[in-house]
Structures are given as structure tokens and as C-alpha cells.
Amino acid sequence: MTSESDRAASRRTLLRRAAVTGGAAVAATAATAVNAAPASAAVGDPVVIGLPNAGGTTVTSAAPGGAATLALQNATGVTLEVKMASSHTIPSPAGSLTAYANGLNVSNGNGGYTSFTTANATMLVPIPPTRVLDTRTAAGRERLLEGGGQIDSQGRAVAGAWLLVRLDGIVEYGDGLIGNVTVAKTEKGGFATVYGRGDAPGASTINWWGAGQLLSNGVITQTGAWSTTNGDYYPDTVAIWVQKSASAIILDVTGLLVSHPESAVVNNPKTVAGARLATDSATREVRAQVIKANAERADREVQPRA
């Protein structure tokens, strides 16, 4: 295995030479060096660590016999320091590694990169049960971006209705949600699908088989983004497709899947510039930009039915 990195002239921790006995693993253990002269290793030379380094590129070759190529230990400080870059972009050559605010980028050598970020390890943030949709009342329908005209006089979404619910004030730049979907006042047998992005799945989230039923089911789904025809953008939405027959639809959220904890904004007591998040629109916008910088990814999808 070969790894390359440019080491800045300012203090950098490198590897210390380890002894190799027979087929034993190659290990490198960092040493504490006080007032030591800067070390520099030419390409292909043995790697030395524990000293300030002023060098350029160092190549580490795989150890013989399948043993570990490199082991890093340092009881007095960081094992390995990778300095943060100001941009996600990584130059060639392939394999170049750069750290940025939320993770690491590895160059593919063609101007692109693979990101290893907190988004690759999405976390669950439980929240108090929060109702985001209840088609039975006008107040319960306030979050509808689409589908408000597909509700009948009994507060039921008609057969074939497509409902889109905005989640601002609950999550900002999230990845998914956990919750509960309920149907009530069913007209006859039917089913509904809760989903977050892309085309509607063919599978169902909840099924009912007759009139006048009240049923619920747990749901875990992605969230999606939505752009309206007048240019408004909503980074967090969830869709519900009601099929076969009319039914009232209730959706409650109990947990958020996010790539950064700041994305879970519901009941968040944090402040910006001394003001609470909930009231001032300018403050909310500043807060949103902070969250966006922390959590947004370049591969976010937007619903195709804008």
C-alpha cells in the first residue's frame, strides 16, 4: 500500500523507524523529541517520526509477509495530524488526501474526489413526537407544499393524492426521519407510501383493507429537497402517495437522521448572536447558513416533480 501527502514546513508528526525481526509486523512508535533537529526523509528512504519535519513527499511500502505496514502510537500527543484545507477540491495525483471541515477527501487523479465525511456515518437524533401532517384539520395541513387541493370535505386525501410536507423548523439539511404514519376514515381498501426523494417507490408503507379503519405503522425514510415553480427552495421535505382509496393521513416524527447534530433544530435552545432561533427571520437565516456549511453535501437530490 502506498500513501503520499505533502507535509507543511510547520511542525508535523512523522513515523519512527521500527525494528523488523523475521516475519514480524513493522511497527512505528512516535517518540517525544525536545529541541530535536528537523528531520527530512527522501522519497523511498526509511520513515522517521517523532521529530519536526521540513520534508516533502515520503513513500511507505507494504511490509513483507502480510504484516502491518504501519502502526502509529504517541502517548504524549496526536498520533497523526492532517491539516485542514480551505476547499473541498483536491489536486492530483490520485490518492492525495486532504482534510476539510467535516471529513476527508481522497483524489481520484482526474479532478474528482471521494469524500469521507460525517454524512457517511449518519446519526440519529431523537426528538419529542412532532406532528407534521394531519389532513383532518386546516392547522394540520399548514405544512403542505403540494396536495392541499386533494383533500375532500371529510379531511381525507383522495385516491391518487400526492402530498408533500415541508420540515423546516424541525430539521435543516437532514438525511432522513423516523416516525409514525396513521390512516383514519378510510374509504375502502388501499395503501400509502411515505418516501423522501426520487420517484415514488412501488412498495407500501401502510395498508388498509376496508372502510372506516384507523391504523398506524412505523416509518423510516429519507428526506428530500424541493424547488417550487416560483423559485422557493426547501431542503427538507417528505412525500406521501395515497393510492387506491381516500384516507385521512397523519404523520408524526420522533427522530431525525442527520449528518451533523446541528441539523436537528426542533426545540434547539442554541442562540445566534445572543438571539433565540425561533423568532427573528434574519437570525434564522444566519443559523441556516451555519447548518448548511456543516451538513450539506454536493450529492443532495431534488424532487423531480417541481
Side-chain angles (χ1 to χ4, degrees), residues 174-246:
D175 288 293
L177 63 81
I178 294 176
N180 196 66
V181 60
T182 301
V183 295
K185 299 182 181 180
T186 56
E187 178 187 27
K188 57 183 181 180
F191 64 97
T193 303
V194 182
Y195 68 103
R197 62 186 71 161
D199 296 330
S204 63
T205 306
I206 188 168
N207 301 270
W208 58 95
W209 57 91
Q213 291 190 310
L214 176 64
L215 300 167
S216 62
N217 195 26
V219 59
I220 302 175
T221 186
Q222 295 171 306
T223 54
W226 178 260
S227 290
T228 65
T229 54
N230 62 5
D232 292 332
Y233 177 70
Y234 295 89
D236 300 278
T237 61
V238 63
I240 305 170
W241 184 22
V242 181
Q243 304 182 56
K244 305 297 185 183
S245 71

Side-chain angles (χ1 to χ4, degrees), residues 28-199:
T29 304
T32 302
V34 180
N35 298 324
S40 180
V43 174
D45 279 1
V47 183
V48 177
I49 75 172
L51 302 175
N53 184 268
T57 302
T58 301
V59 176
T60 303
S61 299
T69 302
L70 186 63
L72 298 177
Q73 297 178 356
N74 184 358
T76 61
V78 295
T79 301
L80 178 66
E81 180 184 3
V82 181
K83 290 194 172 180
M84 188 166 62
S86 59
S87 171
H88 289 209
T89 303
I90 298 178
S92 296
S96 297
L97 180 68
T98 299
Y100 65 99
N102 285 343
L104 300 174
N105 283 339
V106 180
S107 172
N108 63 12
N110 297 316
Y113 57 86
T114 299
S115 294
F116 299 92
T117 75
T118 52
N120 298 100
T122 303
M123 65 191 74
L124 170 63
V125 178
I127 65 172
T130 303
R131 183 151 296 181
V132 297
L133 175 66
D134 186 342
T135 61
R136 298 172 298 181
T137 68
R141 299 190 293 267
E142 285 183 349
R143 288 184 170 273
L144 280 178
L145 288 172
E146 301 285 343
Q150 298 178 293
I151 309 298
D152 68 15
S153 60
Q154 298 186 52
R156 303 180 302 187
V158 301
W162 188 77
L163 312 175
L164 186 69
V165 182
R166 58 182 175 85
L167 301 173
D168 49 288
I170 296 170
V171 61
E172 292 183 5
Y173 299 93
D175 288 293
L177 63 81
I178 294 176
N180 196 66
V181 60
T182 301
V183 295
K185 299 182 181 180
T186 56
E187 178 187 27
K188 57 183 181 180
F191 64 97
T193 303
V194 182
Y195 68 103
R197 62 186 71 161
D199 296 330

